[in-house]
Amino acid sequence: MTSYIENDNLLFFEGNFSKHYLKRDFYKYKEKDFDFDNRKKFLYKNDYYMGQYVVLNKSDKSIAIAIEVSDLICGSNIIKKENIEIRFTKDTLCSVGVGYEWGVLPDFPKENIPDILDYSNKTDLEENNLRGFYIFIKSDASPGIYKGEISIKGTKLSLPIEVEVVDLEVEKNDFAINLWQYPFTVARYYGISDEELFKEKHLDILREHLRVYKSIGGNSITTTIVDDPWYQQTYDKYPSMVREITKDGEVTYDFSYFDTYVDLAIAEGVDEQIMAFSLADWYENDRKDEGLVLGLKPGSKEWEEYWDYFLDIFIDHLDLKGYFDITYIAVDERSPDILEAVLKVLSKHKNKDGKTLKIASQLGYKPGYVDIYDRLDDISFGFVDINDENKAYIDKRGDKLTTIYTCTGMYPNSFARSMPIESDWTILYANSINANGYLRWALDAWVKEPLEDTSHWWWEAGDTFLIYPAEKDAKVKKPRTSPRFEHLKYARSMVGKINYLVENLDEDDKNEFISKVKAMNPKAYITTSMGIKEADEKVRDDLYDEVINIYNTIYEYSKKLEQ
């Protein structure tokens, strides 16, 4: 099947979905040094397929590009073109290093990375440049091989497109995705005033964010019960959604922000967990002038008295609203001693049914503290700490929610400069060690102007968010996603297929299949002089092969089961 076509001005080819297409590689592709995908193009019923194509402008002037796609035909059956979405990438600047001083952007080089996926099939392509676009094919069509064409409008440049709908269907995918939301950052970016917080204008934007989050399988609501529990590691502060009011010496609490956001999320189907941050904040005595966090040492008398008072009121409120059973006190990357203090204070406070609040924690595995881990309802282990003992403990936890997370300083990852396929690998790896989900600490904790520059003062570019803003004057402010977001989403759909096949293959095929899709190991990396964890070409190639082999194995055993 033809994979590229050209005329005097344009070169149009099917891209490799694993990577970014960068301007610096223009001459490589102009000389037709392609790296075509060897991935099977398939989807299940009520499923979708994702791929990438590239347009290269060889001329000395900018050219307006518009992509058209035909219906896809299989005999008398059709995947209508209305079910096929084309989304061009857009560039944003990304620092190639990490910083070392709070609030100060590092003086490192930056490069343009096509990490924004626009909701458009059009782009203005500059001279001597190239641009990738993603294609999403959604279908509830009958099984079969569907064929059609994808074209550059107004030219004779057209490529064949072919995908197979397999006669299987995943009706439920339980692999959990937890991406923390930052509604106060959203308010700052769009100019929402304090008076408008969690009111109609703000909620209309947050609703769009929650819908995108739900689309990836997001099932957990991020809330704050103390000011800035992470001590402003992000560009914006994160105030408490529960506001403390002191009048005539009596302390009461205003839960209106908390309730409004939780109700909005539940209405959008994000309804399995409320993560309440936190009884243990990140106060470290290094910026006392901020005056935002409690500054009370967990386990101290003052700390315990503060939370004893709050928890009685909070639990009564959760009972009243019907939130109690899905609420978790969240403790992020705090020591075992702090976790013990939190567990102790929570044990004293019961709701109307005699239950204590659940607890969720994100942490690195330490063998000597399994007795504490056993009392946690939801654990997310840092990917960098995964070892054989940690894997065995994950198995031991059984159905209790146990996920892995990635963040700064880890490889593979989901930064703006990461290969997009690293996101696929991360999800597949989590599933391979029997974790039942994946957590990443920020969905939308934007820097000042993320559409222009994703660089952060401490971390890798893009570490603090996976989605991008809409235009500020857009009527509907649906956030743009990124390739790394879409690859996390696509890999989750593949995990759904893996688990479906494990449940439905016969014993011999199942064991053989598991041995092929779950034999994954962490990848070697180096640390650059600018503090970034990266891999050499061989490791990157191995990672690509591993993911593609797993995807093709899913296809192979899907066809076995289909027969």
Side-chain angles (χ1 to χ4, degrees), residues 208-220:
E208 297 298 328
H209 283 235
L210 287 164
R211 287 173 177 172
V212 169
Y213 175 48
K214 177 67 177 176
S215 76
I216 199 176
N219 58 11
S220 179

Side-chain angles (χ1 to χ4, degrees), residues 58-190:
K58 301 180 288 183
S59 77
D60 59 2
K61 61 182 179 180
S62 178
I63 299 177
I65 303 294
I67 301 299
E68 296 180 316
V69 64
S70 70
D71 293 338
L72 306 185
I73 308 296
C74 176
S76 59
N77 298 315
I78 300 174
I79 297 176
K80 291 187 175 295
K81 61 185 177 183
E82 289 78 14
N83 291 326
I84 303 173
E85 185 179 21
I86 303 297
R87 296 178 61 189
F88 265 102
T89 61
K90 294 181 72 172
D91 287 347
T92 185
L93 281 172
C94 303
S95 172
V96 302
V98 295
Y100 38 81
E101 183 178 355
W102 187 90
V104 179
L105 287 175
D107 187 20
F108 289 139
K110 297 178 182 181
E111 63 178 338
N112 277 307
I113 298 293
D115 191 50
I116 303 167
L117 277 175
D118 222 351
Y119 295 103
S120 177
N121 68 332
K122 299 176 182 178
T123 192
D124 289 323
L125 186 55
E126 297 173 347
E127 64 274 14
N128 297 318
N129 204 350
L130 74 171
R131 176 67 59 199
F133 65 84
Y134 276 62
I135 182 170
F136 301 89
I137 301 173
K138 303 172 186 177
S139 177
D140 58 0
S142 299
I145 296 174
Y146 289 77
K147 300 179 181 182
E149 290 188 337
I150 185 166
S151 310
I152 300 176
K153 187 176 181 179
T155 75
K156 295 181 179 180
L157 300 180
S158 180
L159 292 173
I161 184 167
E162 180 179 302
V163 294
E164 180 175 356
V165 178
V166 178
D167 194 13
L168 300 174
E169 183 174 359
V170 176
E171 294 185 353
K172 188 177 182 183
N173 187 346
D174 290 324
F175 190 84
I177 298 289
N178 184 352
L179 308 174
W180 297 349
Q181 308 104 60
Y182 282 69
F184 293 96
T185 290
V186 172
R188 184 269 305 167
Y189 184 83
Y190 288 109

